[in-house]
């Protein structure tokens, strides 16, 4: 029987960029990552959301081959991080949660030195460093030491550093943490460009608007487990509904809502009602219950997040 | 968990870490190159013109010629030891440089190997600065003394390995002071440096030969600078080689244990 040769291209189209099955990581007694399963496809922006301590960073570090897994399957570009870490690391770019630029070098020096770790020849490294400084709008800071940069500039430089090896997978652990809106928007724009160029991007974030804006698909993690997975719009529709009515809490309002048989959630001094038709609920409240302030708005990822992970504060 | 004495796999990429450190060193060359040069001069004046005039000589050798190789050996020890304790600790803990580098194709083994090689290179640089001063004042014999330069690399690896073991287990930068005053300072004084080992009680002589790494470095350096080679050089060389290999391997495995969670 004649069998057709499967080309490399066809294989890479089918193999996910990252594939995790029953992936676990235990630190002494803590199950930081407790049996997660996910697959990231080529060209997508895949997000990990979750409160502090959910296990996002630990998951990223396993993918980056800097932290060995305790058990389970993990494949990056079809390779096992335990077996072929250098091969994987050659193809990924990492923006770590903690900024670790080299304070002994300038911005330009950081990029050139980092490029050398990837065996990029000096002339090529210098060219890329110059291009990348332009890409993150840091040309003016070319010869400035790291200590003299603002937080936003450091984060941009780290993004540039992560791109120095032309990675086909970019892993960003809270890329915009602590940045002002201008810096966040610049990073978002840049990530959009990178995505448009066909890069695969995995990111973690606390900022739900960031996730909604950037991610094609995302998971919400808590306590080392993945709670849900889907596109941002899907998740909102599936777990909350399309709209939210927020009304000031009072006994009258609560009694009214009980009469109307709508389920609600109390958030501080407000009551939140998830619904398909905010208008009808708001009208009913206004007509019959003498409410204080009433707000209607579209449901967001934040509502999903809070619904799934609760309102208790995390460390 | 790997055993402490498992031979680590190290790639040629280790040299990239060495190169990084060299570049930083060269950038600040003014503060880096001259200390060994000045140190050699200070010793020459203090000992040669000062103490040396009270001490006739040791076994027919002028005192300054007796201690010149010890000063070289101490410099080998200090350069590598302090580079791979305080220097490496700062890069590891405060600068998070190792974390940044292991996200590239380098492994933690490559990084630590690069740090060790760099520590040894610091020793080579130091004696290379000092030898011309000593030679200029005629207190070491040429050309045999030039062999102290390759010896500095070997001795540098020895003390880099020892240092890195402490760096791998120290809870903070302050506790690195313990090995430096409980180990390095006594060695500086009692390893046959400023007075011959034979002045010590016999059991201490054997003790020094058995456990004080600097002793062997001084013995070899002295053979070179006084041009008094003897077969016992092979014993000291073998001692250094074995102990160097042991500490370098253990230090890499300890570092792996500390940094890869
Ligand atoms: N190196 C470590 N040693 C011990 N516990 C750790 C270590 N790294 C993370 N953890 C623990 O694992 C859990 C998950 O942490 P992390 O992955 O950093 O969460 P996230 O990034 O989602 O905030 C936390 O409880 C954290 O304290
Ligand atoms: Mg994190």
């Amino acid at each position: 029987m004649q069998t057709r040769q499967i080309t490399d291209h066809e294989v890479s189209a089918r193999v996910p960029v990252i594939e995790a099955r029953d992936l676990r990581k235990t630190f002494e007694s803590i199950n930081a990552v407790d049996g997660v399963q996910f697959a990231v496809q080529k060209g997508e922006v895949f997000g990990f959301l979750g409160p502090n301590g959910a296990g996002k960073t630990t998951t990223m570090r396993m993918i980056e081959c800097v932290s060995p897994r305790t058990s389970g399957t993990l494949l990056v570009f079809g390779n096992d991080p335990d077996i072929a870490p250098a091969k994987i690391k050659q193809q990924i770019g990492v923006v770590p949660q903690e900024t670790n630029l080299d304070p002994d070098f300038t911005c330009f020096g950081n990029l050139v030195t980092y490029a050398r770790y990837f065996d990029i020849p000096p002339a090529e490294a210098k060219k890329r460093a110059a291009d990348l400084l332009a890409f993150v709008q840091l040309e003016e800071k070319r010869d400035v030491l790291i200590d003299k940069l603002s937080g936003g500039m450091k984060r941009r430089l780290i993004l540039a550093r992560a791109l120095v090896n032309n990675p086909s997978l970019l892993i960003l652990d809270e890329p915009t943490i602590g940045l002002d809106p201008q810096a966040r928007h610049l990073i978002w724009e840049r990530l959009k460009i990178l995505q448009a160029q066909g890069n695969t991007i995995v990111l973690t974030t606390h900022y739900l608007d960031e996730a909604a804006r950037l991610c094609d698909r995302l998971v919400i993690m808590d306590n080392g487990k993945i709670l849900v997975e889907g596109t941002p719009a899907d998740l909102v529709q599936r777990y909350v509904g399309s709209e939210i009515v927020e009304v000031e809490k009072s006994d009258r309002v609560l009694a009214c809502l009980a009469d109307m048989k709508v389920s609600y959630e109390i958030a501080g001094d407000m009551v939140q009602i998830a619904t398909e038709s905010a208008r009808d609920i708001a009208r009913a409240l206004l007509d019959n219950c003498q409410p204080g302030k009433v707000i209607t708005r579209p449901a967001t990822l934040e509502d999903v997040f809070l619904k799934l992970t609760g309102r208790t504060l995390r460390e | 968990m790997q055993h402490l004495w498992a031979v680590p796999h190290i790639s040629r990429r280790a040299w990239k870490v060495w190169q990084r450190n060299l570049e930083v060193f060269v950038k600040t060359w003014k503060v880096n190159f001259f200390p060994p040069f000045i140190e050699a001069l200070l010793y020459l004046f203090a000992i040669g013109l000062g103490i040396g005039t009270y001490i006739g000589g040791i076994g027919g050798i002028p005192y300054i010629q007796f201690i010149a190789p010890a000063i070289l050996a101490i410099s080998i020890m200090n350069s590598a030891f302090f580079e791979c304790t305080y220097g490496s600790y700062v890069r590891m803990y405060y600068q998070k440089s190792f974390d940044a580098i292991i996200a590239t194709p380098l492994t933690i083994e490559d990084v630590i190997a690069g740090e060790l090689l760099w520590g040894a290179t610091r020793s080579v640089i130091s004696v290379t600065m000092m030898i011309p001063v000593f030679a200029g004042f005629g207190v070491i014999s040429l050309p045999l003394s030039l062999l102290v330069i390759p010896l500095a690399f070997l001795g540098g690896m020895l003390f880099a390995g020892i240092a890195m073991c402490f760096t791998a287990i120290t809870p903070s930068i302050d506790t690195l002071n313990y090995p430096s005053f409980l180990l390095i300072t006594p060695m500086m004084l009692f390893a046959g440096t400023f007075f011959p080992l034979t002045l010590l009680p016999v059991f201490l002589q054997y003790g020094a030969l058995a456990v004080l790494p600097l002793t062997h470095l001084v013995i070899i350096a002295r053979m070179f600078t006084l041009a008094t080679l003897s077969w016992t050089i092979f014993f000291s060389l073998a001692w250094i080689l074995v102990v160097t290999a042991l500490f370098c391997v253990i230090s890499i495995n300890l570092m792996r244990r500390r940094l890869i969670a």
Side-chain angles (χ1 to χ4, degrees):
Chain A
M1 195 173 81
Q2 189 93 32
T3 54
R4 197 171 61 93
Q5 199 74 35
I6 297 170
T7 65
D8 268 5
H9 189 74
E10 281 173 312
V11 171
S12 68
R14 258 182 289 153
V15 175
V17 175
I18 308 172
E19 194 177 3
R21 280 193 304 272
D22 198 28
L23 180 61
R24 280 169 206 278
K25 177 79 189 188
T26 313
F27 295 109
E28 282 105 45
S29 58
I30 305 166
N31 291 326
V33 175
D34 197 5
V36 299
Q37 173 152 347
F38 59 87
V40 178
Q41 305 300 331
K42 189 172 183 320
E44 77 179 332
V45 179
F46 193 91
F48 284 82
L49 270 59
N52 279 334
K56 305 181 297 293
T57 296
T58 308
T59 308
M60 296 307 112
R61 289 171 55 82
M62 288 191 282
I63 301 169
E64 292 158 14
C65 311
V66 297
S67 176
R69 64 184 183 272
T70 307
S71 67
T73 308
L74 179 62
L75 294 172
V76 186
F77 303 113
N79 294 301
D80 185 332
D82 284 349
I83 295 166
K87 199 170 163 195
I88 295 171
K89 291 195 284 186
Q90 187 73 39
Q91 304 176 68
I92 63 178
V94 173
V95 172
Q97 181 173 335
E98 203 174 355
T99 299
N100 56 17
L101 292 161
D102 195 328
D104 290 326
F105 288 93
T106 61
C107 292
F108 188 74
N110 260 276
L111 299 183
V112 172
T113 309
Y114 214 69
R116 191 162 57 217
Y117 300 136
F118 290 93
D119 292 315
I120 297 166
E124 173 65 17
K126 284 181 184 154
K127 189 180 162 301
R128 286 194 200 176
D131 291 348
L132 286 168
L133 283 178
F135 184 66
V136 297
Q137 296 185 7
L138 281 175
E139 287 152 301
E140 270 141 57
K141 302 289 174 185
R142 186 183 187 276
D143 300 318
V144 170
L145 287 173
I146 300 308
D147 293 346
K148 302 278 186 301
L149 299 181
S150 72
M153 291 175 186
K154 284 185 189 161
R155 246 15 219 167
R156 271 143 65 194
L157 186 60
I158 282 221
L159 175 61
R161 192 184 70 176
L163 295 171
V164 90
N165 56 324
N166 282 333
S168 34
L169 168 63
L170 198 55
I171 301 172
L172 309 117
D173 199 352
E174 306 197 6
T176 62
I177 190 148
L179 300 191
D180 61 27
Q182 284 83 358
R184 291 177 74 195
H185 277 272
L186 180 77
I187 290 197
W188 290 345
E189 262 172 48
R190 293 311 183 239
L191 293 181
K192 285 281 183 202
I193 294 174
L194 292 167
Q195 186 196 12
Q197 292 168 353
N199 294 287
T200 310
I201 300 176
V202 172
L203 64 92
T204 79
T205 181
H206 289 304
Y207 301 117
L208 288 309
D209 56 330
E210 177 165 292
R213 186 185 289 253
L214 293 175
C215 297
D216 299 317
R217 225 148 47 88
L218 56 86
V219 295
I220 297 182
M221 277 185 91
D222 199 8
N223 296 317
K225 293 198 158 71
I226 290 179
L227 304 178
V228 292
E229 182 195 311
T231 66
D234 259 8
L235 291 175
V236 173
Q237 191 59 46
R238 188 155 20 121
Y239 291 94
V240 188
S242 43
E243 294 178 314
I244 300 279
V245 179
E246 289 185 24
V247 54
E248 227 167 288
K249 191 174 84 179
S250 71
D251 292 342
R252 179 84 195 259
V253 164
L254 292 182
C256 239
L257 288 170
D259 282 349
M260 290 159 64
K261 294 197 167 45
V262 284
S263 57
Y264 57 85
E265 197 184 333
I266 295 174
D269 57 357
M270 297 296 277
V271 179
Q272 289 192 349
I273 305 116
T275 172
E276 290 307 309
S277 168
R279 213 175 220 242
D280 295 345
I281 300 262
R283 177 158 309 143
L285 283 167
L286 287 166
D287 288 350
N288 311 321
C289 319
Q290 295 169 358
K293 198 167 31 167
V294 179
I295 301 164
T296 66
R297 60 172 175 82
T300 66
L301 212 44
E302 190 142 348
D303 300 309
V304 181
F305 188 86
L306 290 172
K307 178 165 178 180
L308 293 172
T309 61
R311 290 182 180 271
T312 331
L313 211 58
R314 309 298 172 94
E315 282 320 307
Chain B
M1 182 54 71
Q2 284 178 332
H3 287 302
L4 281 185
W5 48 86
V7 178
H9 177 77
I10 294 158
S11 77
R12 294 216 325 259
R13 291 196 173 96
W15 287 105
K16 294 172 192 288
V17 174
W18 177 87
Q19 203 178 344
R20 178 229 168 262
N21 291 343
L22 177 69
E23 270 175 27
V24 175
F25 181 85
V26 170
K27 267 203 300 195
T28 47
W29 64 275
K30 281 182 205 135
V31 290
N32 284 326
F33 275 109
F34 289 107
F37 190 78
I38 307 281
E39 199 184 328
L41 279 176
L42 287 177
Y43 270 112
L44 273 175
F45 285 118
I47 311 285
L49 302 177
I51 303 168
T53 55
Y54 287 93
I55 305 167
I58 290 177
I61 303 158
Y63 189 59
I64 185 71
Q65 293 188 23
F66 177 80
I67 65 154
I71 291 163
L72 291 172
I74 290 168
S75 180
I76 293 171
M77 169 175 79
N78 284 345
S79 304
F81 189 83
F82 289 103
E83 183 62 38
C84 287
T85 46
Y86 297 97
S88 295
Y89 190 83
V90 166
R91 286 188 285 277
M92 168 182 78
Y93 184 80
Y94 293 100
Q95 305 191 351
K96 311 273 178 220
S97 298
F98 299 178
D99 289 343
I101 299 172
I102 61 172
T104 73
L106 279 81
T107 61
I108 190 66
E109 286 85 352
D110 295 334
V111 174
I112 305 305
E115 288 279 315
L116 295 173
L117 287 167
W118 171 244
T121 306
R122 286 296 305 264
S123 301
V124 171
I125 294 170
S126 286
V127 296
T128 309
M129 295 300 292
M130 292 176 117
I131 283 175
V133 181
F134 286 156
F137 283 84
V139 299
I140 56 175
S141 83
L142 287 175
L144 205 56
S145 291
L146 292 179
L147 286 177
V148 178
I149 294 173
L151 176 68
F153 188 80
L154 178 61
M157 285 304 285
L158 170 65
F159 284 101
I162 294 171
M164 196 60 82
C165 286
F166 287 111
T167 306
I169 58 173
T170 192
S172 76
I173 196 160
D174 298 321
T175 43
L176 284 176
N177 293 342
Y178 289 113
S180 72
F181 75 80
L182 292 177
L183 185 72
I184 298 301
T185 309
M187 245 188 313
M188 212 172 116
L189 296 171
F190 295 105
T193 44
F194 298 104
F195 60 86
L197 217 49
T198 49
L199 293 185
L200 292 173
V202 174
F203 76 98
L204 282 182
Q205 291 181 35
Y206 282 114
L209 283 169
V211 301
L212 295 187
L214 185 63
T215 317
H216 295 281
L217 206 53
V218 173
I219 288 172
I220 302 173
R222 197 163 274 145
M223 286 185 197
F224 290 157
T225 65
L226 296 178
T228 51
L229 291 177
S230 102
W231 289 109
T232 55
I233 194 173
F234 291 109
F235 170 68
S236 287
L237 271 177
W239 193 97
I240 291 179
L241 278 169
V242 169
V243 176
T244 301
L246 211 64
F247 276 104
C248 286
V249 164
I250 292 175
S251 76
I252 290 174
N253 289 320
L254 280 175
M255 269 295 186
R256 187 188 161 79
R257 189 174 285 190
R258 175 175 188 140
L259 294 174
I260 304 298

